[in-house]
Amino acid sequence: MTAPATANAVQEDAAGQVLAFPAAETARATRDSRPLRLITCGSVDDGKSTLIGRLLWDTKAVKEDQAATLRRDSSGKQNDLGLPDFALLLDGLQAEREQGITIDVAYRYFSTDRRSFIVADTPGHEQYTRNMATGASTADLAVLLVDARVGLLEQTRRHATIATLMGIKQFVLAVNKIDLTDYDRARFEQISHEFRELALSLGVRQVTAIPLSALKGENVVYDGRASMPWYDGPTLVEVLELATTRSSQTVGFRLPVQRVSRPGESFRGYQGTVAGGSVKPGDSVVILPSGMVANVTKIVTFDLVRNAAVAGDAITLVLDRQVDVSRGDMIVAIDSQPLTGLAFDAQIVALQADGIQPGKRYWLKSGSRRQRVQVQPASQLDLKTGKWEPAEQLPMNAIGKVHLAFDEQAIFDPYEQNRTTGAFILIDPDTNNTVAGGMITAKRSALGGIHTEDARVILSLPADLADQLMATELFAARREDAEVRRVSAGKASEIIDTIDG
Amino acid sequence: MPLTHPETELHNPQSTKPPLDPHLKALENEAIHIFREVAAEFERPVMLYSIGKDSSVLLHLARKAFYPGRVPFPLLHVNTGWKFAEMIAFRNEIVKRYDLDLIEHVNPRGAAENVTPFSHGSALYTDIMKTEALRQALDAGQYDAAFGGARRDEEASRAKERIYSFRTPDHRWDPRNQRPELWNVYNGMVRKGESVRAFPLSNWTEVDIWRYIQAEDIPIVPLYFAKKRPVVERDGMMILAEDPRLELLPGETKREEVIRFRTLGCFPLTGAIRSEATSLDDIISELETATVSERQGRAIDRDQSGSMEKKKREGYF
Ligand SMILES: Nc1nc2c(ncn2[C@@H]2O[C@H](COP(=O)(O)OP(=O)(O)OP(=O)(O)O)[C@@H](O)[C@H]2O)c(=O)[nH]1
Ligand SMILES: [Mg+2]
């Protein structure tokens, strides 16, 4: 799609009136792959929305009536160049238009001859980091914008870090507003160098740096050779066309059970979306957390009975025997099981004003499983130094490492191995709001959790005495080491009686 | 009726159909996931059914999501009394064919006061017969989740909306304060009276809808296909002149044109387009070269930028 920017689609007269609309293009139906999901991120006003607006404009995703509305809404706010305010194609909320900023993510869709794209334009303001995280969680690629005049800011680092934590491995560094630096090559190279250092420290290896002007459309869809003869790299759209979608996950079969389908006596199926690996009739599976084993007899879908299902497929699974399976359970490959336990380590991003309070009990939802969890912050990332500092609580927008302690068995894969079964949200039971997004790093047994081989004592105590003991500091400090079940006195003596020795 | 093959037995209803391409398959999987999640997490879900193409796709996906079971919630049609006659006939046929529970609601106040698009103007009419009516119906059913067929590519404020869109007990949307929505982990926790609107088609575009209708052979209202029909020009729109309640204003004349509709709503407020597209292939190629968006034909969307957001804040879908 390379053509000089002068042959650009928008033609305008001196008064900034759009004279010719982008010509409609015919059938572009390359749907032989999943769409690429990308986000724009970076600090306030660096030009994220303008860039996506320009991308939509130059790929002819803006229709005539929308262009007319844009022209009307831009009048009075025209920039020096007399171009429309492309950001208005994205900033669709009244409050955003009034303040000239992005508040919440906008999802937009466009395609080129080669592939289709879902783009999430995220806000730069620190206050709305939660909305940036929302966009980042599903993205395959991040376009990180930097204002060429300003360089990397703390917010740029925050966004780069969140994007990396959430598993984005491909970055485009868009050094934007290059027109305002007189197309200064040295400036571009200095910023690219600075970012590569940051990327390296975050463990990102795939970075393409592009000098561009979102407003003028240089190096977005059309190349900017006329203004930047020194740059002979790809345009943004060329990079996007060649990027890879998230590769399917390598761990074994995972099916978080969303619901049990029992339309009649003769049929019992487990419905969910395959979250990893694949499955076929005859496979042996384990139901977690119960640990029961069964074999797959059928994979049912509306269209036909299938002979295999892979990650991403929404299916109904039928097993060969009556086992107890309910919503929130996970059906997994027998030879490649996820981690189960009561204590895990995770990294989280705190998304709401109250931050994350130590010891508070939140709801944790992962896949279809929701359970109570106690969150103990351990450290917080200092964005200036890139170092983890000890922390007791996490304020809003902080990136932290935490310990999770559950009352009931939890089931996870490390996020690095599975972006679905390793991801979770925390919900504040007081407000019902989503207060954090988290990524599992490890199970805690090796790090101070429960060691199966160690000696244990099982006590049966009256509830009031147990409560007093558990209220002590000594107990609280090692809460994760203890397992507590509340049962009736009769049940307790039954259990104790069954234990040898 | 363009309804094709009747539903066959439990298995292999469409086994000869070629598999969906990966793009549509990904969209279908996502929608089915959302349907199942909402059905499992909420006590009283309902599906808004407007009879249009998006609703037809939504219904098809619901049937797929719960197969071999029945769709486990009712369909709600908020009727204004001014829908195209062909839409109502189509709706009745579909409900019968697929064995669905349909709830129809008309705003009794609007009906009693005889609120029409002609007498009250499109804005007030929409307010009473659609927004207020929807709120009444949702309150009456005490639904805590309502599926809708809205797509983010339809309009700039829709592009901002979550898949689970939280509503206060008086059905308000607060676009400045939406819950974060990460990965495909949806937060379905609501208090009594609060609800969510769930949008399984959020990430679909208009072309995706048509390509899916074609690939899956989904029945749609015949008004989407071009045919010679009586029309009258009003407010810069061509509206269908079939309903006896439509009175011609001075200077207006009825004429025959080969037309079709890109979206369907209330006939007095929905503009037709001149088109020769008589098949799905024609519609798709027409769309791929279209120079205007689909909302162009809708009176209520043309008022001003931000009018959709305003309506949504008040409880409109
Ligand atoms: N000269 C010039 N101006 C630009 C360019 N890109 C963006 N701008 C201007 O920069 C301002 C901010 O642009 P936006 O696109 O709203 O910035 P943003 O990054 O989306 O801002 P937030 O979403 O609020 O963080 C607008 O006035 C744009 O016209 C560019 O390449 N060159
Ligand atoms: Mg913006």
Side-chain angles (χ1 to χ4, degrees), chain A residues 261-419:
Chain A
S261 169
R262 293 216 63 181
E265 283 308 303
S266 59
F267 187 89
R268 189 183 182 94
Y270 306 105
Q271 302 190 313
T273 305
V274 180
S278 62
V279 68
K280 57 184 189 321
D283 283 0
S284 295
V285 292
V286 178
I287 293 108
L288 295 176
S290 74
M292 283 182 296
V293 175
N295 299 305
V296 174
T297 53
K298 255 192 291 192
I299 302 164
V300 176
T301 70
F302 182 85
D303 300 307
L304 65 166
V305 174
R306 296 169 45 153
N307 45 28
V310 297
D313 288 344
I315 59 167
T316 301
L317 207 63
V318 180
L319 302 178
D320 67 345
R321 65 196 75 167
Q322 285 280 344
V323 277
D324 185 11
V325 183
S326 48
R327 173 174 166 82
D329 290 354
M330 207 189 291
I331 303 178
V332 308
I334 198 162
D335 52 358
S336 166
Q337 300 189 22
L339 309 169
T340 54
L342 296 172
F344 284 85
D345 282 341
Q347 297 185 327
I348 67 172
V349 184
L351 303 174
Q352 302 292 355
D354 289 344
I356 294 296
Q357 305 301 323
K360 177 164 174 163
R361 282 159 58 80
Y362 294 92
W363 283 110
L364 178 145
K365 190 175 177 199
S366 173
S368 56
R369 192 171 175 81
R370 199 182 75 192
Q371 56 192 122
R372 286 296 191 144
V373 66
Q374 207 170 347
V375 183
Q376 196 58 55
S379 56
Q380 178 182 348
L381 185 67
D382 182 334
L383 289 163
K384 287 193 197 73
T385 62
K387 293 209 168 64
W388 293 93
E389 305 291 347
E392 309 246 287
Q393 56 171 42
L394 297 171
M396 169 146 118
N397 302 329
I399 297 165
K401 292 188 174 171
V402 299
H403 304 319
L404 305 174
F406 296 91
D407 302 343
E408 289 169 10
Q409 291 288 315
I411 311 160
F412 294 109
D413 285 296
Y415 188 74
E416 276 214 328
Q417 286 171 24
N418 191 317
R419 234 174 137 175

Side-chain angles (χ1 to χ4, degrees), chain A residues 44-50 101-102 124 176-177 179-180 213-215:
Chain A
V44 182
D45 271 353
D46 285 353
K48 298 175 289 296
S49 304
T50 307
I101 59 163
T102 304
N176 189 32
K177 308 198 189 182
D179 54 305
L180 299 179
S213 169
L215 188 60

Side-chain angles (χ1 to χ4, degrees), chain B residues 35-48:
Chain B
F35 265 119
R36 290 172 171 174
E37 198 62 12
V38 172
E41 273 199 307
F42 290 84
E43 272 165 36
R44 292 181 65 83
V46 66
M47 183 179 125
L48 272 290

Side-chain angles (χ1 to χ4, degrees), chain B residues 84-100:
Chain B
F84 293 85
E86 273 179 88
M87 289 173 74
I88 303 300
F90 177 87
R91 179 198 73 185
N92 295 343
E93 173 68 26
I94 287 289
V95 166
K96 202 165 72 198
R97 169 146 308 180
Y98 298 143
D99 181 27
L100 302 163

Side-chain angles (χ1 to χ4, degrees), chain B residues 231-232 234 241 246-254:
Chain B
V231 293
V232 59
R234 184 176 292 181
L246 179 74
E247 285 168 29
L248 293 192
L249 303 175
E252 285 182 347
T253 48
K254 220 193 254 197

Side-chain angles (χ1 to χ4, degrees), chain A residues 455-501:
Chain A
R456 309 279 296 174
V457 175
I458 295 179
L459 288 171
S460 169
L461 306 172
D464 59 338
L465 179 56
D467 286 340
Q468 278 179 38
L469 282 174
M470 287 193 287
T472 62
E473 238 177 79
L474 182 66
F475 188 90
R478 299 191 57 188
R479 175 65 187 84
E480 288 169 30
D481 291 350
E483 281 186 270
V484 179
R485 295 279 188 288
R486 286 175 190 275
V487 294
S488 67
K491 180 86 182 165
S493 60
E494 244 176 73
I495 293 171
I496 301 245
D497 284 343
T498 61
I499 299 171
D500 292 337

